[in-house]
Amino acid sequence: MSFWAEPRPVALSLCLCALAAAAPVQAKVSFTGYGHFLFTPDANLRLSVPTSLVPGAEAGVFRARGFATESLGLFAATPVGEDADFLMDVSYRGVGGTVRDLRVQYAYLETPLPWGLRLQAGKVTLPLGYFNTRRFYPFQRVELTAPLFQSVALGLPIADTGGIVSYHGESSELDLDVRLFGVNGYGSVPASTASFRNPALAGGLEISNNLGAGNNNRDVAVGGQVALSQAASWEYGISYYRGAWDRSGERLFQLSGSHLHWTPGRFDVLLEYLRLSVDGDQGMHRAFDREDWALDGGFVTLSAPIGTPFGRPLKGYLRGEFYDGSARDGTGGHELLRSGAAGFAFKESDWITWKGEYLWLDYRVPSTSSTTLQLMGYVARLALVVTF
Amino acid sequence: MAGAALAAPFLPAVALAEVELLIEFRPGLSPLSLGLAEGDGVRLRRFSPGELSDPIASGRIQSRLMLAEGVVAVGPEAGLWAARELEGVHIHFSGGVSRVSGAALKARGWTGELAVSASAFLDLATTQRWKRIGVLYTSGFEGVLPEIRAAGSARGLAVEAREVAVRQDIPAAAQSMARESDAIWLLGDPVLTTGPGFDYLIGLSLSRRLPLLVPEPDLIKRGGYAAWEPDWEVVASSAAALGKRVRGGLGWPRARVALGGDAGRLVINEVLRRRWADVPTGGSR
């Protein structure tokens, strides 16, 4: 388990105090933050579990209703030089039904380099896709929930320890952003050195826990993003990540993707495509009957203003999501995720937003037999997002 | 604080105090376009629409701006954010000062420019054959009244002003002014331009055919009759020039609030203009 994987309020308090104290005498540390609270009026999920995948698990229909603290975050920022800042986010998150998590989402120094380059060094949010860096926080997006695959399997925000060098160029018509990073990278699942993912319910399918406090091999994961944009009207970018995930540093995990953010008129469209490719994963062998597997798919979100009740903006949105994973040679079964969501966001003030969402999902992971782990159903949610 | 004392020698120095120009991003807006050069001590800090309500971006900008010698906030969004988030730094509001409490302006020693053309409003009055202009103002904005009176007098217009201290004063003050005036000019802070106070004034205006001259074009959609839309490039250039003057040792403007230049355009509520075209306007009728 990583250092930040469990609550350590004393350590975090000391960290924040050190941040405040370490800045030059004349520097100011500004603190801002947010809270994201959920009410689930109704969740209805049917779970089918083959015992070959999850021994002892019980199938059935799960109904839920209740309140939850989805996340609470505190951001700190302080200038530490002529054009350098230190930035940090400490967030509490409720993940699933039982896990409570206090972690540093990011903590890095951002400083200029020669030739117009900039460096972020520390725990940085990786420039993969658009959502990860610019829509992750609930106050940054219209939608109540993040796209399921990215948030549950990849574990948003995708952040790791290392550095990012970035370049921003402008012409009269277009902007160009190039970001290159080197980080520890994803390792194996915490409980096994031979598995990258496991087709099990209790977190095995998530790879967010594979990002540990240190590197599990001598390989440094590298990647980057190139994005072209025009003012606030559109942005197109491609992203790539490559790193060995096993202890010997021989089995590769590659992640590639592209994104298009487009704002025609009053609409806002975000389309992201993602492809994961993994070598030598004994964990998913049980699902795909092969150790080399790949998964690709994406999501599209459309949002637009739909009214101004009480003089305040109300936006509506739709989201569709589809992912398909299988052995790289195309044999065996398929891991499938299909999901759709519709909802609204009402901005009561600059600080308070109310949201509602209806989410439908169908998720299946195969076993080598004819049985499949399947989760299918819907979740209706209301949320309150407060920033300060 | 011992930690700070120990750590300070090992860290790079923070920028010397500068004047920061906080302005919403517009294509073509750059230090060059505003006539700013390195060494002027004036730094341009652009933000994207909606960025200031993002706590991450807001915190980062805040930590920088609180080190500045002063901040010139250009436009309503920048002004509102600066008034809310910044402590211990002089703020000058270039446009959008009507979003800021007049009491805060006075108490904190801030300064501002309304970015409203008095000439345009008074010329409109002349064109419409209004004879008496009532000015409802809030504390902190009284400094521009002599200029308005003088400009009105030069055009043969009578300008009567009445202060509104709190929202509860609005009905009596507005009723009285409606009897004596052909149009009402709202010169003040959110007490007059938001919430039930503004709703009351709009109701009075529509029922009495009494034109309201409002401080921002956005208020036209809510029933205001005329507003001034400043040329924001000119406002930004003036703000940059002010920053340079401050860095040059000339200090901040002495006047708490000023009116602004004549670069821009008058925005008229066309619906009201058409509806009221065949009947004389004015609350005294």
Side-chain angles (χ1 to χ4, degrees), chain A residues 21-284:
Chain A
V25 177
Q26 67 271 44
K28 309 271 187 185
V29 182
S30 74
F31 290 96
T32 53
Y34 75 101
H36 186 201
F37 307 96
L38 290 181
F39 170 57
T40 305
D42 189 23
N44 186 325
L45 296 167
R46 177 179 294 277
L47 180 65
S48 307
V49 191
T51 53
S52 61
L53 288 179
V54 192
E58 289 182 19
V61 174
F62 294 88
R63 302 292 300 265
R65 174 176 296 153
F67 298 91
T69 301
E70 172 73 6
S71 53
L72 292 167
L74 192 60
F75 307 110
T78 187
V80 289
E82 179 73 26
D83 191 19
D85 296 295
F86 189 81
L87 305 149
M88 183 172 168
D89 167 22
V90 181
S91 279
Y92 163 88
R93 295 198 302 172
V95 184
T98 54
V99 181
R100 299 289 179 267
D101 188 17
L102 191 59
R103 68 168 62 182
V104 174
Q105 307 269 36
Y106 63 74
Y108 60 85
L109 169 75
E110 181 171 331
T111 187
L113 295 175
W115 308 300
L117 302 173
R118 294 191 74 80
L119 169 71
Q120 293 179 355
K123 184 168 184 184
V124 293
T125 306
L126 302 190
L128 295 171
Y130 189 92
F131 199 96
N132 188 48
T133 48
R134 280 166 283 182
R135 293 274 171 92
F136 161 69
Y137 290 101
F139 52 79
Q140 293 174 324
R141 61 177 186 250
V142 175
E143 312 95 271
L144 192 156
T145 56
L148 276 177
F149 185 81
Q150 288 205 16
S151 64
V152 177
L154 294 182
L156 296 171
I158 306 167
D160 200 2
T161 308
I164 300 174
V165 175
S166 58
Y167 169 78
H168 177 78
E170 287 180 9
S171 72
S172 57
E173 292 293 319
L174 295 173
D175 287 11
L176 172 70
D177 284 285
V178 180
R179 304 175 182 97
L180 301 173
F181 63 81
V183 292
N184 285 334
Y186 287 91
S188 56
V189 296
S192 164
T193 57
S195 298
F196 187 72
R197 280 176 94 205
N198 273 322
L201 281 181
L205 289 160
E206 302 166 11
I207 61 171
S208 52
N209 293 327
N210 300 22
L211 289 169
N215 200 354
N216 68 333
N217 55 35
R218 287 173 53 81
D219 176 79
V220 172
V222 294
Q225 182 176 72
V226 179
L228 211 54
S229 61
Q230 185 179 47
S233 61
W234 59 266
E235 176 180 312
Y236 176 74
I238 53 173
S239 313
Y240 180 69
Y241 167 101
R242 176 193 172 95
W245 61 268
D246 68 321
R247 187 171 285 176
S248 63
E250 292 170 352
R251 302 175 196 181
L252 269 185
F253 168 51
Q254 296 177 83
L255 190 153
S256 51
S258 58
H259 69 264
L260 173 66
H261 178 229
W262 184 37
T263 52
R266 302 168 72 197
F267 291 91
D268 184 294
V269 181
L270 176 61
L271 178 67
E272 282 201 29
Y273 166 80
L274 197 63
R275 178 179 171 82
L276 279 64
S277 175
V278 181
D279 295 346
D281 179 9
Q282 292 179 12
M284 290 303 276

Side-chain angles (χ1 to χ4, degrees), chain B residues 173-199:
Chain B
Q175 290 279 359
S176 162
M177 195 149 272
R179 284 191 293 273
E180 301 161 1
S181 310
D182 299 315
I184 295 183
W185 182 341
L186 301 187
L187 183 71
D189 65 15
V191 166
L192 283 174
T193 56
T194 62
F198 185 70
D199 293 343

Side-chain angles (χ1 to χ4, degrees), chain A residues 20-34 75 77-85 87 106 108 110 118 120 137 139-140 170 175 231-232 347 350-351 387-388, chain B residues 1-8 11-16 18 25 27 29-30 43 45-46 49 53-67 80 84-85 87-88:
Chain A
V25 177
Q26 67 271 44
K28 309 271 187 185
V29 182
S30 74
F31 290 96
T32 53
Y34 75 101
F75 307 110
T78 187
V80 289
E82 179 73 26
D83 191 19
D85 296 295
L87 305 149
Y106 63 74
Y108 60 85
E110 181 171 331
R118 294 191 74 80
Q120 293 179 355
Y137 290 101
F139 52 79
Q140 293 174 324
E170 287 180 9
D175 287 11
K347 200 168 176 64
D350 284 349
W351 306 277
T387 57
F388 54 89
Chain B
M1 292 313 290
L6 288 171
L11 290 165
V14 171
L16 293 172
E18 295 179 316
F25 176 84
L29 182 75
S30 66
R43 184 184 290 257
R45 200 162 292 273
R46 296 174 288 184
S53 58
D54 177 329
I56 300 175
S58 170
R60 190 169 182 179
I61 296 173
Q62 188 186 349
S63 69
R64 281 272 156 200
L65 265 50
M66 290 209 302
L67 292 175
L80 191 61
R84 202 168 61 203
E85 304 292 346
E87 293 280 348

Side-chain angles (χ1 to χ4, degrees), chain B residues 206 209 269-279 281:
Chain B
L206 297 179
R209 292 177 181 265
N269 187 327
E270 291 300 330
V271 175
L272 291 182
R273 197 216 292 258
R274 279 197 301 274
R275 283 191 185 167
W276 293 350
D278 53 347
V279 180
T281 55

